[in-house]
Amino acid sequence: DAKTTQPNSMESNEEEPVHLPCNHSTISGTDYIHWYRQLPSQGPEYVIHGLTSNVNNRMASLAIAEDRKSSTLILHRATLRDAAVYYCILREKGNQFYFGTGTSLTVIP
Amino acid sequence: NAGVTQTPKFQVLKTGQSMTLQCAQDMNHNSMYWYRQDPGMGLRLIYYSASEGTTDKGEVPNGYNVSRLNKREFSLRLESAAPSQTSVYFCASSPTGVNEQFFGPGTRLTVL
């Protein structure tokens, strides 16, 4: 069973904010929520992670629901370089990452 | 720094053949990982090594063996390749207790 659920694809206009949703209704209290992105023919790249509180870094923001059953990755101003597949991942049992099928983000110039 | 390197980049095998995928990192990371990615799918963890001398099974370990040769190197071996193992294989590494994993460029394996 999939541990995270994401929309297959989303579109955004360049320089507009993008909100990428993720559902993880079976999350346990110690599971971290991670986001990675993958450009074509490349390995995934770390974006952000969090446990309970909202998080910000230079790339994005992560908003985590109070019950932790969902989260949203926020790209504040989408650029063409942000076009990628975005994966919402639960980190269980220390080093075990469970990738979902991801959301393919298209950025429209 | 080269980061995480993987060899080979591409490989074609016949069913039943064996091969070893090589991975090395120069970031002095303790933890290393092997994933596979099937077309249109997310990555699935095959094996990981939390530190030199230790290995643990991930989500899909059947048909694979691993060796943590030293702190830098973590190899993945297919003893008898099957068409179901056609995939892109990614190696990753991370420092202990740090959430960010650094991925290599991948090895594209086709088993005929």
Side-chain angles (χ1 to χ4, degrees), chain B:
Chain B
N1 288 348
V4 178
T5 57
Q6 294 183 234
T7 55
K9 286 186 169 53
F10 301 93
Q11 184 71 48
V12 179
L13 293 177
K14 294 181 180 177
T15 297
Q17 288 185 317
S18 63
M19 80 160 295
T20 300
L21 281 63
Q22 306 286 353
C23 174
Q25 51 92 9
D26 61 2
M27 296 174 283
N28 202 34
H29 289 168
N30 284 320
S31 301
M32 297 186 74
Y33 315 82
W34 275 106
Y35 293 88
R36 61 177 288 175
Q37 184 174 31
D38 299 330
M41 304 291 288
L43 280 71
R44 291 184 292 171
L45 182 65
I46 304 171
Y47 271 94
Y48 66 96
S49 171
S51 61
E52 186 178 352
T54 68
T55 60
D56 286 286
K57 295 178 180 179
E59 190 181 357
V60 288
N62 291 344
Y64 305 95
N65 287 303
V66 290
S67 295
R68 184 72 183 268
L69 304 170
N70 47 55
K71 192 171 186 178
R72 289 188 65 248
E73 299 172 290
F74 189 37
S75 63
L76 178 72
R77 183 161 178 83
L78 286 72
E79 290 292 350
S80 178
S84 61
Q85 294 178 304
T86 293
S87 191
V88 180
Y89 290 85
F90 289 100
C91 178
S93 71
S94 70
T96 301
V98 174
N99 290 280
E100 182 176 357
Q101 292 188 10
F102 296 81
F103 284 81
T107 293
R108 188 173 297 274
L109 175 66
T110 301
V111 182
L112 303 176

Side-chain angles (χ1 to χ4, degrees), chain A residues 16 29-30 33 37 40 61 63 67 74 78 81 88 91 96 104:
Chain A
E16 289 188 356
T30 56
I33 301 158
R37 70 181 186 182
S61 296
D67 63 5
I74 302 165
R81 287 192 299 271
C88 171
R91 191 185 79 162
Q96 298 236 25
S104 179

Side-chain angles (χ1 to χ4, degrees), chain A residues 61-78:
Chain A
S61 296
L62 175 61
I64 300 172
E66 196 169 334
D67 63 5
R68 300 208 327 126
K69 293 184 184 301
S70 65
S71 61
T72 302
L73 178 70
I74 302 165
L75 307 179
H76 296 288
R77 290 184 65 194

Side-chain angles (χ1 to χ4, degrees), chain A residues 11-13 22 30 37 53 55 61 64 69 78 84 102:
Chain A
E11 288 185 351
S12 174
N13 293 321
C22 180
T30 56
R37 70 181 186 182
S53 304
V55 184
S61 296
I64 300 172
K69 293 184 184 301

